[in-house]
Amino acid sequence: MFLRRDMGYNVFMEQQEALQAKLQQLKLGGSQNLHVVADFDRTLTKVFVEGKKKPSTIALLREGKYLANDYATRAHALFDIYYQFEVSPYITPEEKNQRMQEWWSTHLALMMECGMNKEVIQDIIEKKQVVPREGLFEFMDMLTLHNIPFLIFSAGLGDVIEEFLRSEGKLTPNVYIISNFYEFDEQGKVLGYKSKIIHSCNKKEIELKGTPYYLLIEKRKNILLLGDSLEDIDMTEGIDYDNIIRIGFMNENTGELDKYAQAFDAVIVEDGPMTFVNELIKKVVDLTS
């Protein structure tokens, strides 16, 4: 396994020559044939800030003490029940999928019972609770400048992601979000999700064909995929492509590095920045040799 060390981060590659060959194909295709698909939580965002682990977008509700007094206790209880299934290597994908569906559905009902509303989302954004990975905005600016479609595919809270990007001036026309968006009543109270629940293990089941994003990228045959879990490699299920580079962010638990290195073309460890990814984009759009 090849290790590349740069200032502030490490990148592991199982097959460096294979990655270079793929990169050459992306360069030949140029920006007009590229699109990007990325997870959000812990892929585009930081995991550790000043030595403390940051909650995911959905966990911000629990940690922020926004809802009814017993919400956090009950949400933690659900975590204790279901998280073991999410990370278990010993159960079938079918059972894992079923358990995650139960978790997300039960948690949605709990949020509604405990008073989830638009004001919570606004407060999360105003308090800068979502922390971008270093180099994210440079990455997004390059995609926008070169009109490269960018799909954010998240099992988190779409409304939080959308408002975060809007507050930072990054909700540009080339950005698309597929996530769990709330349905609100006239008072801003949550009534449920607008569409099928997206959880950590069912992204490959979400039908992308027919969406505005799919129609936009149908003739773009090169993909850059970014994710922090092994399941994230399924985000491009149903999309036809000729070449794909998969970049994994292994923020902790490096004991599974071999699995990540086999699934992804390159693995950035220790909550590293977007520097390596930005270098790839610059090469594709001819900003560097």
Side-chain angles (χ1 to χ4, degrees):
M1 186 184 300
F2 175 79
L3 167 63
R4 170 179 160 179
R5 296 184 184 274
D6 285 279
M7 188 174 295
Y9 69 100
N10 292 331
V11 181
F12 289 86
M13 287 165 268
E14 186 78 19
Q15 300 289 338
Q16 185 187 19
E17 292 183 359
L19 173 59
Q20 291 302 319
K22 289 184 178 183
L23 177 58
Q24 183 62 27
Q25 292 302 310
L26 265 60
K27 290 171 66 176
L28 290 173
S31 59
Q32 66 271 20
N33 288 312
L34 179 67
H35 65 101
V36 178
V37 180
D39 175 51
F40 186 76
D41 284 311
R42 298 173 180 173
T43 296
L44 303 182
T45 64
K46 288 281 291 178
V47 178
F48 295 96
V49 177
E50 297 180 352
K52 295 182 179 180
K53 192 170 183 178
K54 289 291 294 183
S56 63
T57 53
I58 201 161
L60 285 170
L61 306 180
R62 183 180 65 228
E63 305 301 327
K65 301 180 180 179
Y66 288 107
L67 306 181
N69 290 336
D70 64 344
Y71 167 76
T73 300
R74 295 167 68 186
H76 274 295
L78 289 175
F79 179 89
D80 291 341
I81 293 170
Y82 288 104
Y83 183 69
Q84 59 184 315
F85 298 112
E86 183 178 23
V87 299
S88 173
Y90 304 112
I91 63 175
T92 64
E94 292 75 19
E95 182 180 355
K96 184 174 287 193
N97 197 334
Q98 178 185 345
R99 296 288 190 175
M100 293 305 98
Q101 184 69 30
E102 290 174 4
W103 187 5
W104 261 251
S105 300
T106 306
H107 186 243
L108 173 60
L110 176 61
M111 287 189 289
M112 293 167 58
E113 178 187 339
C114 293
M116 180 60 189
N117 60 80
K118 281 186 177 180
E119 292 181 1
V120 174
I121 297 169
Q122 294 168 358
D123 192 72
I124 288 173
I125 301 305
E126 289 173 3
K127 290 181 177 177
K128 302 287 186 180
Q129 294 295 314
V130 180
V131 180
R133 189 177 293 276
E134 182 181 344
L136 172 63
F137 294 156
E138 178 188 359
F139 172 71
M140 296 189 70
D141 287 345
M142 285 191 287
L143 299 185
T144 301
L145 178 63
H146 295 277
N147 197 31
I148 298 171
F150 182 26
L151 173 63
I152 297 174
F153 199 168
S154 172
L157 300 180
D159 299 279
V160 172
I161 296 169
E162 185 174 82
E163 290 305 316
F164 164 71
L165 295 177
R166 181 178 286 116
S167 72
E168 299 290 350
K170 304 303 177 186
L171 193 61
T172 48
N174 66 309
V175 175
Y176 297 78
I177 304 170
I178 295 179
S179 187
N180 297 304
F181 282 92
Y182 288 125
E183 188 76 51
F184 297 100
D185 67 13
E186 293 180 357
Q187 288 72 43
K189 187 175 180 180
V190 169
L191 299 175
Y193 286 141
K194 289 182 178 179
S195 57
K196 178 181 177 179
I197 288 176
I198 301 173
H199 55 70
S200 59
C201 301
N202 74 337
K203 289 181 178 179
K204 67 179 179 181
E205 297 176 10
I206 304 302
E207 183 62 57
L208 295 180
K209 287 187 177 180
T211 65
Y213 181 78
Y214 184 86
L215 297 176
L216 181 67
I217 57 89
E218 195 169 7
K219 294 183 179 180
R220 292 175 178 256
K221 297 301 182 181
N222 294 334
I223 304 176
L224 175 63
L225 180 147
L226 311 175
D228 73 302
S229 74
L230 295 174
E231 286 78 15
D232 284 336
I233 63 174
D234 295 328
M235 291 189 294
T236 52
E237 188 82 12
I239 298 178
D240 294 326
Y241 60 83
D242 294 331
N243 305 286
I244 184 169
I245 292 179
R246 300 179 176 92
I247 307 296
F249 289 87
M250 192 172 195
N251 303 297
E252 49 187 340
N253 301 327
T254 53
E256 292 191 327
L257 180 58
D258 286 344
K259 290 182 180 179
Y260 271 68
Q262 291 171 17
F264 294 97
D265 295 291
V267 182
I268 299 166
V269 299
E270 299 171 350
D271 202 21
M274 296 283 289
T275 309
F276 181 78
V277 179
N278 289 343
E279 289 177 0
L280 295 182
I281 291 294
K282 289 175 183 177
K283 290 176 180 177
V284 172
V285 300
D286 293 326
L287 293 180
T288 187
S289 59

